[in-house]
Amino acid sequence: MPGRAAGMCGMIALEKRPQPSRLWALATPLLAVLLTMIAGGLLFALLGKDPFAAIRTIFWDPLFDPQFSGYSRPQLLVKAGPLILIAIGLSFGFRAGVWNIGAEGQYIVGALSGAAVGLALYPYDGWIVFPAMVLAGLAGGIAWAMIPAILRAYFKTNEILVSLLLVYVAENLLASMAVGPLRNPEGGGFPGSRNLAQWSGSANPELIAGTGMHWGVVAAFIAVIAAYVLLARHMFGFHVRLAGQAPRAAGFAGVDPARLIILCLGISGGLAGLAGLFEVTGPAGQIGIDFNVGYGFTAIIVAFLGRLNPIGILLAGLLMALTYIGGELASFMLDIPMAAIQAFQGMLLFFLLAVDLLVNFRIRIKRREIAP
Amino acid sequence: MLRRTFLGATALALGLAAAAHAQDDGKTKVGFVFVGPVGDGGWTFEHNKGRLALEEEFGDKIETVYKESVPEGADAERVMTQMALSGADLIFSTSFGYMDPTINVAKKFPDVKFEHATGYKRADNVSTYSARFYEGRAVQGLIAGHLTQSNKIGYIASFPIPEVIRGINAAYLAAREVNPEVEFNIVWAFTWFDPAKEADAAKALIEQGADVILQHTDSTAPQAAAEAAGDVYTFGQASDMAEYAPMPRVSSIIDNWAPYYIERTRAVMDGTWESQDTWDGIAPGMVEIGEISDAVPPEVKEKALALKEAIAAGEAHPFTGPINKQDGSAWLAEGETADDGTLAGMDFYVEGLKGEIPN
């Protein structure tokens, strides 16, 4: 009986495409943004807020409002920089089927390692201090990522769980460093390190005033270009893609799985560590108990929103930053609860995953003849 | 060379300051930056009550804006900058971790007044304010010392900063005064607001035998955990948390920011605002003791209220010698009271407390 009812009004069926659709691969992120705006607008309307004003405040005002844009446009880069840098690193592993969920922890350990080197040299402020901190940040991030990498490569543990749980370890390490060895001895017993942004040796300031460009943003742009070249032109990029698409073929092509795991986690850990270091010496300024604000997790969304493609990640990072900055603006200008803003941001990933279906499937409306 | 950005930054700051005053409709605009959600039922809830009292007091002569759940650090700096750009005349940043961001933003907006809660860095346009919560802690400690049967009092501490350490010491001294057998079991939650973590801490303390729980975190989760366990006493923190009265919540420390917020906003409106450091306690009403419930024996309630009155009248001080530090070294001599400087930077336990301050 139900079959007959369906037959009468036609049936929606999914049909696998022979090839993933290139058109839909490009269109789905835009469609997801559009759907987020509609559903988010409904949410805001239900809360009694003007949905058009809310969407405008989130997407338009940070970029073009004369009162805010002068400040928030550069801030877009400040917020997007670490997201892009981390997401680029994650994209290699995600392509190859190596799931680093713990970039947040690598970000923290990178910041801690870099800050520790800088603070050990304090008050010496020669030019060598900042580069030494950058190297330490890179090394710290890589080292933290090597734990899940080696466990996965040689002991077959699940890198998703190991990398994720190490985030909580890193958070506790951060807390104990902020009230312990890295605490500012002149801070009156309060937690938190010296302000690294205010000490010339370690500062990572805006390189050109009023642009938001600091070394971390520069590093993010370099990472985008390097990733693009690596994936398009280099053997490593080919191996990464092959391992993700056809693991058996990758084996025949001579890809060493252990080496690939270690490289992918090393790259993502290193870039996350760098992001942490540039953040702690610049926008954040100091190691504090709550230094990490979730860039490592948000970067996972950015990586997928950008379709694991370097240019896509660049744009996705900027879009994500826009929803943060615009969301803050909407929160206090229009009195929208922060929880609603966060739900709005969450919808973006939700819709992206939902419409992603269209890349690999097409929707067919089948008509079925009704048996006489 | 690339790093020399001072001149550029100054030029930008001037531009920003000019932009901030582009929009002026005659209303005084007051911004609030909150560390938790306004519905936390504790710290942020009370600050938001202060904001609502402002609106009540001044009506349409002012406009208030707020942003909740702002992480401490770069995000706080951006939120405050955006508030200043939106034309705020006065901004209250209500968490310790906003200290450096507040100072940074204040430099960029010399005409905007800033008020930072619980910090110690001031500037020409940055005031600091805090409450002597430790006075309320002493009253709590007295009640707790009387109530405990197991002589084990659990304490959920947030961060090892002087404010929190001061509260632990004050509560312990008052509890030991009335019950020499009392022991404090202190858990460091490293959060101001995390209901799940706070509930876990409360459960762990109860399992270890504590029958009174004091908290320096902002959610009502420990209250709920105590209610579930039964026969465990708690105290409301920052807010009254009266929904858990008469049991487990037997009293509370209430932060009443409204009079201060009204006074400071009026000063901005009158043009008499000046940078200052405020540290008020029970006497002017910044710290209030919530209704002591009937679960507390009448004679204990009487003693608690007497201590509160004595502190308000300046006749009692929670830190009155003889008091030794935890390591046994002398701190305050007989009859001596602690000076504000030592209290403000307190980084040690008093004698009798077990464990170490994390570092």
Side-chain angles (χ1 to χ4, degrees), chain A residues 257-310:
Chain A
R259 188 166 163 265
L260 194 69
I261 290 162
I262 285 170
L263 270 174
C264 285
L265 274 159
I267 290 173
S268 52
L271 292 187
L274 278 182
L277 180 276
F278 289 128
E279 195 68 12
V280 78
T281 49
Q286 62 180 152
I287 290 287
I289 290 167
D290 283 333
F291 160 71
N292 61 314
V293 293
Y295 282 122
F297 292 119
T298 309
I300 298 172
I301 303 181
V302 169
F304 280 104
L305 199 60
R307 312 221 70 94
L308 306 181
N309 171 302

Side-chain angles (χ1 to χ4, degrees), chain A residues 67-68 71 75 79 130 179-180 187 190-191 195 198 200 203 206-207 209 283 289 293 325 328 331-332 335 337-338, chain B residues 2-3 5 8 23 65-68 71 74-75 78 81-83 85-86 96 100 104 120 159-161 358-359:
Chain A
Q67 205 177 348
F68 297 107
Y71 173 74
Q75 282 294 309
K79 194 86 187 161
F130 190 66
V179 298
F190 288 85
N195 196 311
Q198 287 168 7
S200 62
E206 272 187 318
L207 298 173
I289 290 167
V293 293
I325 291 171
E328 280 166 10
S331 168
F332 77 81
D335 197 9
M338 206 45 211
Chain B
L2 283 169
R3 289 175 168 221
T5 53
Q23 215 181 46
V65 293
Y66 71 92
K67 169 81 177 62
E68 56 184 348
D75 292 295
R78 186 175 56 249
T81 305
Q82 287 181 329
M83 273 187 184
L85 284 174
S86 80
F96 171 72
D100 282 5
N104 290 347
Y120 57 86
F159 295 111
I161 61 174
N359 62 39

Side-chain angles (χ1 to χ4, degrees), chain B residues 158-188:
Chain B
S158 44
F159 295 111
I161 61 174
E163 180 196 319
V164 178
I165 297 166
R166 216 158 44 225
I168 296 170
N169 285 332
Y172 175 72
L173 288 170
R176 194 185 58 183
E177 177 89 25
V178 300
N179 180 351
E181 302 295 310
V182 81
E183 269 181 35
F184 269 39
N185 193 356
I186 300 157
V187 169
W188 292 93

Side-chain angles (χ1 to χ4, degrees), chain B residues 147-150 152 206 209-213 223-234 247-250 295:
Chain B
L147 289 182
T148 182
Q149 300 288 317
S150 64
K152 283 188 179 149
I206 292 167
D211 58 356
V212 181
I213 304 274
Q223 315 276 329
E227 190 174 43
D231 284 340
V232 175
Y233 302 97
T234 60
M247 272 292 281
R249 172 224 165 272
V250 292

Side-chain angles (χ1 to χ4, degrees), chain B residues 59-82:
Chain B
D60 54 9
K61 278 188 278 182
I62 64 158
E63 183 193 351
T64 69
V65 293
Y66 71 92
K67 169 81 177 62
E68 56 184 348
S69 304
V70 178
E72 300 174 337
D75 292 295
E77 193 164 330
R78 186 175 56 249
V79 167
M80 277 185 262
T81 305
Q82 287 181 329

Side-chain angles (χ1 to χ4, degrees), chain B residues 248-265:
Chain B
R249 172 224 165 272
V250 292
S251 182
S252 61
I253 295 176
I254 306 171
D255 312 344
N256 182 10
W257 305 107
Y260 182 76
Y261 287 166
I262 291 169
E263 176 199 321
R264 300 303 281 166
T265 304

Side-chain angles (χ1 to χ4, degrees), chain B residues 271-288:
Chain B
T272 57
W273 189 97
E274 274 181 20
S275 174
Q276 62 177 44
D277 177 28
T278 301
W279 202 15
D280 281 346
I282 289 178
M286 194 180 260
V287 174
E288 290 178 358

